[in-house]
Amino acid sequence: MSDSMLVCVSDYWQRCHYLNRPDREAGDSCRNGKTLRRLLLQVDAINGNYYLREILQQTVLVDRLKRIHGVQLVWLQFHPPERDTIDYKWADMLAHTLWEHIEVEHLMSWLSTLGGGFSALGEQFGKCAETAGKISLQQLKIGMRLGDPFLQARCKLYYSISLIQRGHLRPAKHLIRAQYSFARQHVETDGRLVRMCQGIWLRLRYEYEQRRIQKQKRLK
């Protein structure tokens, strides 16, 4: 038998759920019809959850059960607790997390509206394009805090628009290509990213073409 302890959790309806079950090919004794020496613990589900965590995580405890007491199987028989308990600490943490997420989503909406306005003005005014870029970077920071890679990709694309408007075509090109590669890998999850990359790329090509035409005029 492997070093891990075989554990069986029997729920309220006496359905058995096995953990650390060895593979069939391992030839373990529990697969060969042999009787395993087991430790039966009849506990309520709340305490049983702590028992289960200790058995699965504490290697010293498992080693003592196996080596000193010869236990091969821990059988946890759960029954309903006498009184349901409320985890107020976890509830407070969850409420705070949800509230923070709602506030961040609200902030992102305002930043998107504000950034879109400055981006539109950035077509004519360089300062507005620069401000739009700063807003995109703030959105990127929020996306990194939320751990949302798709939101981060969209913010980087918004920032690339600001780079194009300010004439920084080369860094914008590398940024768009990187996000396009990411979007192609996750097209089934968010197909909008591919279309965003393609649209901004067309804008980049237009700016390169305009720059080429201006260069030819100067040479003439």
Side-chain angles (χ1 to χ4, degrees):
M1 193 171 180
S2 61
D3 293 337
S4 58
M5 177 72 70
L6 182 61
V7 181
C8 176
V9 177
S10 180
D11 59 24
Y12 297 164
W13 300 272
Q14 297 184 348
R15 292 178 301 192
C16 296
H17 309 272
Y18 288 93
L19 294 87
N20 293 336
R21 185 196 293 266
D23 298 332
R24 293 179 183 272
E25 295 79 10
D28 193 271
S29 59
C30 67
R31 289 292 186 178
N32 295 332
K34 296 180 181 180
T35 302
L36 299 179
R37 183 178 179 84
R38 70 179 185 178
L39 172 64
L40 175 62
L41 299 174
Q42 295 180 326
V43 293
D44 64 73
I46 296 175
N47 289 318
N49 179 62
Y50 295 109
Y51 279 45
L52 178 61
R53 185 173 61 181
E54 291 298 313
I55 293 170
L56 294 178
Q57 296 181 357
Q58 296 297 333
T59 57
V60 175
L61 172 62
V62 171
D63 182 67
R64 288 180 62 86
L65 288 174
K66 294 171 63 176
R67 182 167 49 85
I68 299 178
H69 303 284
V71 176
Q72 297 171 290
L73 167 66
V74 175
W75 191 287
L76 294 176
Q77 178 69 57
F78 286 179
H79 59 77
E82 295 181 0
R83 184 175 60 182
D84 292 329
T85 59
I86 300 176
D87 192 341
Y88 289 102
K89 184 176 181 180
W90 171 253
D92 289 340
M93 292 173 58
L94 183 60
H96 177 77
T97 302
L98 290 174
W99 172 82
E100 184 180 51
H101 187 78
I102 292 172
E103 289 297 318
V104 168
E105 289 290 340
H106 189 242
L107 177 61
M108 285 295 293
S109 298
W110 276 105
L111 287 176
S112 296
T113 303
L114 191 62
F118 275 101
S119 182
L121 292 172
E123 297 295 330
Q124 301 294 330
F125 306 103
K127 283 293 185 181
C128 291
E130 184 178 351
T131 302
K134 292 180 180 179
I135 293 174
S136 297
L137 291 178
Q138 290 299 321
Q139 289 179 295
L140 178 59
K141 290 180 181 179
I142 295 175
M144 294 176 66
R145 180 176 180 179
L146 293 176
D148 187 341
F150 300 99
L151 177 58
Q152 295 174 36
R154 289 194 294 271
C155 293
K156 291 176 183 179
L157 288 174
Y158 297 150
Y159 184 68
S160 70
I161 296 175
S162 173
L163 291 175
I164 294 172
Q165 291 175 333
R166 287 179 285 159
H168 306 309
L169 304 187
R170 185 181 295 272
K173 177 177 65 177
H174 295 310
L175 194 57
I176 297 169
R177 282 178 172 173
Q179 304 319 305
Y180 183 69
S181 177
F182 172 81
R184 288 288 299 274
Q185 295 174 6
H186 302 84
V187 63
E188 295 183 0
T189 305
D190 191 345
R192 295 175 300 174
L193 280 177
V194 173
R195 295 189 291 272
M196 286 179 64
C197 292
Q198 292 171 342
I200 298 173
W201 186 260
L202 289 176
R203 170 63 190 280
L204 179 65
R205 290 179 58 185
Y206 172 80
E207 292 297 331
Y208 267 117
E209 181 65 19
Q210 292 300 308
R211 181 174 290 185
R212 186 186 65 83
I213 293 173
Q214 292 298 327
K215 184 177 181 180
Q216 288 181 344
K217 289 181 177 180
R218 287 196 300 270
L219 292 175
K220 291 179 180 180

